[in-house]
Amino acid sequence: MDFSSDDEWIVLDAKNPADSSDDDRGVLALGSPTCSDYELDLDLSSDDSDDDDSVTSRRAAVPDDDDYMSSDPYELECDDDADPYAAQPLTRPLSGMFHHTPWDSVAYAAFDPLRAANSAAKRLIPDPAFAVFPETVTVLASTRGLVCLRGNTSGLYYVANPATFRRVRLPPHTRDHRLDAEPAVVITFEQPPHASSAGFHHYSVVVAFQVHDGVWAVESFSSRTWDWTVGSDICAPETVIASSGVGALGRAFWRTTIGHILCVTPETGTVDLIPAPHEVDARPDWEIGEMEGNFAVACADNARKEVAALYLVAGEAGATQWQWAGQFDGEKAGCHPGMTLLRSQGAAEVVVWDSVADLVIALDFDGRQTRSIGPLNGGNYYTDFIPYIGTDTEIYSEEVGAMFITVDAVTYRIPQSSVKEEQF
């Protein structure tokens, strides 16, 4: 790829040795959050009262370091008396973005260091193109440091932590997820009290796939059972926008072309269509995301004069409600019509793609630019940005009752035996 500034980008050589299990000096990994999210037990009921215009979305991803963990400026203090319906802030801002190139390869770009961070060093990942995999892959989703990928040849799914250089191939799914089309995939973590000990938290890989024109079903993989389950619900959202997927509150969310938000609860297999907040009527450029543990919607008017963010909250009798989270003057923040909202993750930030300056920019609720990626140039990239937060979250645990082994660069789950777990 052609970058105009070496200072703005971190992309490691795709030929980085993959078999160096004990010499990962270039890896700087973040620790796990010190406090988990509170459970938000929403009964999300369907409501087809408001249809909104669809908006295309993008993607993003990156990791961090041991010295940084020792004095973490984002460390949380857990409050036992906190409101159980208020999500607990995550400890990390976005690290960077994954995206793809015209050559069907994966690329990664790191944000400039956050101004408040103690360390100015940029955090790297050892194999940003995932060249170690036994086949070429496409990045589909990323949540809290874990990345879901699909093999371009086999159609099988992988879960990896690029910061710790570990990955596992999931068992074959039972339904046709349309290998010739981009599946709608989200990684989402279980909410407490089911969270595991530090380093490993049970997660689901949720896939929404089309079974008929405009009709979609769901199949979910659980790290707890290490198996796939087909949901009993179907829905008719016209089209699920695959590149808008967000994992938050133990659920998977996507925008749809009917203007509603598809919500899937993997533990129960239930599917709901949530109307977007009324604020998007006057601010038609909108995108979903996760901010401080909350499921969020960011929206802007056509001129980008006003940018706002709202959080999904529990209402009475299972109704969905939106709570105003923040707003800022887009003109004062330097926003213009050439900017498009991207998915957010981690900190309370609005993330935008500036197609004029070829920059990805993160802004806080005061409209101040905190970090940026770019500028990109040369046209050798796609703007399918997938947000990524670097952590040392594990991708599997012996608690699931099995062992894992790596053979010919493929990590498998096998029955409990004397076979020793290996890294890839």
Side-chain angles (χ1 to χ4, degrees):
M1 298 183 67
D2 183 11
F3 305 113
S4 62
S5 172
D6 291 337
D7 293 331
E8 301 293 327
W9 286 80
I10 292 296
V11 178
L12 300 187
D13 187 356
K15 297 180 181 180
N16 183 67
D19 55 357
S20 176
S21 61
D22 54 5
D23 188 18
D24 292 335
R25 288 185 291 269
V27 183
L28 300 173
L30 288 178
S32 299
T34 58
C35 180
S36 300
D37 299 344
Y38 286 99
E39 183 173 10
L40 180 54
D41 188 12
L42 293 176
D43 180 12
L44 301 177
S45 57
S46 300
D47 186 342
D48 297 329
S49 58
D50 297 311
D51 289 353
D52 299 296
D53 295 334
S54 62
V55 183
T56 56
S57 63
R58 318 291 186 224
R59 305 174 180 171
V62 132
D64 276 38
D65 155 352
D66 289 334
D67 294 335
Y68 188 64
M69 287 189 288
S70 62
S71 56
D72 185 358
Y74 309 104
E75 187 170 3
L76 298 175
E77 294 183 2
C78 299
D79 183 0
D80 293 336
D81 297 326
D83 180 358
Y85 291 101
Q88 186 72 18
L90 297 181
T91 59
R92 309 290 176 188
L94 275 176
S95 303
M97 298 279 186
F98 284 111
H99 64 100
H100 296 82
T101 74
W103 302 280
D104 293 328
S105 62
V106 181
Y108 172 76
F111 274 105
D112 286 337
L114 192 71
R115 294 171 184 171
N118 291 347
S119 172
K122 295 181 179 179
R123 278 87 195 172
L124 313 183
I125 55 179
D127 183 22
F130 298 97
V132 68
F133 280 64
E135 58 180 322
T136 57
V137 293
T138 298
V139 175
L140 301 173
S142 176
T143 304
R144 299 190 195 176
L146 298 192
V147 177
C148 180
L149 310 99
R150 184 180 66 162
N152 294 344
T153 301
S154 68
L156 294 170
Y157 295 96
Y158 300 84
V159 171
N161 185 328
T164 60
F165 209 38
R166 292 171 67 83
R167 65 96 178 83
V168 67
R169 195 185 77 180
L170 304 186
H173 42 284
T174 63
R175 295 294 186 269
D176 180 10
H177 294 173
R178 300 180 62 197
L179 184 60
D180 61 338
E182 181 182 24
V185 178
V186 164
I187 299 177
T188 188
F189 285 82
E190 289 185 1
Q191 295 292 95
H194 303 298
S196 300
S197 58
F200 179 77
H201 299 272
H202 280 294
Y203 58 89
S204 294
V205 175
V206 186
V207 183
F209 58 98
Q210 186 168 291
V211 294
H212 192 64
D213 290 344
V215 179
W216 292 69
V218 173
E219 186 172 12
S220 300
F221 167 84
S222 170
S223 65
R224 185 173 291 278
T225 64
W226 209 259
D227 202 1
W228 292 87
T229 302
V230 178
S232 58
D233 288 356
I234 60 173
C235 63
E238 194 174 78
T239 298
V240 175
I241 301 173
S243 57
S244 68
V246 169
L249 307 175
R251 295 166 171 84
F253 299 87
W254 292 270
R255 288 190 297 108
T256 70
T257 52
I258 64 171
H260 283 51
I261 299 166
L262 175 64
C263 171
V264 177
T265 305
E267 291 184 11
T268 62
T270 57
V271 176
D272 295 282
L273 284 173
I274 306 170
H278 294 296
E279 285 77 5
V280 305
D281 294 339
R283 305 167 187 84
D285 179 24
W286 63 284
E287 187 55 275
I288 61 177
E290 180 270 318
M291 298 181 186
E292 297 185 316
N294 300 285
F295 176 68
V297 166
C299 53
D301 57 42
N302 289 323
R304 308 303 187 266
K305 292 183 178 179
E306 184 182 52
V307 182
L310 301 100
Y311 292 158
L312 180 67
V313 296
E316 295 181 0
T320 59
Q321 294 184 1
W322 297 92
Q323 181 181 72
W324 200 262
Q327 70 179 67
F328 58 86
D329 186 313
E331 286 186 315
K332 290 182 179 179
C335 297
H336 55 80
M339 289 182 169
T340 305
L341 291 170
L342 303 179
R343 284 174 290 177
S344 59
Q345 189 178 148
E349 296 176 316
V350 174
V351 186
V352 299
W353 163 245
D354 186 339
S355 61
V356 177
D358 286 333
L359 289 170
V360 176
I361 302 170
L363 303 112
D364 62 21
F365 285 167
D366 292 325
R368 294 173 298 192
Q369 179 177 329
T370 58
R371 293 159 297 143
S372 64
I373 292 175
L376 281 164
N377 58 27
N380 297 327
Y381 61 91
Y382 291 133
T383 58
D384 57 343
F385 299 115
I386 303 172
Y388 169 80
I389 296 175
T391 72
D392 62 356
T393 302
E394 289 290 346
I395 57 176
Y396 52 78
S397 168
E398 296 313 315
E399 294 178 12
V400 300
M403 296 290 287
F404 295 83
I405 184 171
T406 300
V407 179
D408 296 332
V410 179
T411 305
Y412 302 92
R413 176 184 185 267
I414 62 174
Q416 190 75 35
S417 69
S418 59
V419 180
K420 185 179 179 181
E421 172 188 327
E422 299 181 19
Q423 289 187 337
F424 73 92

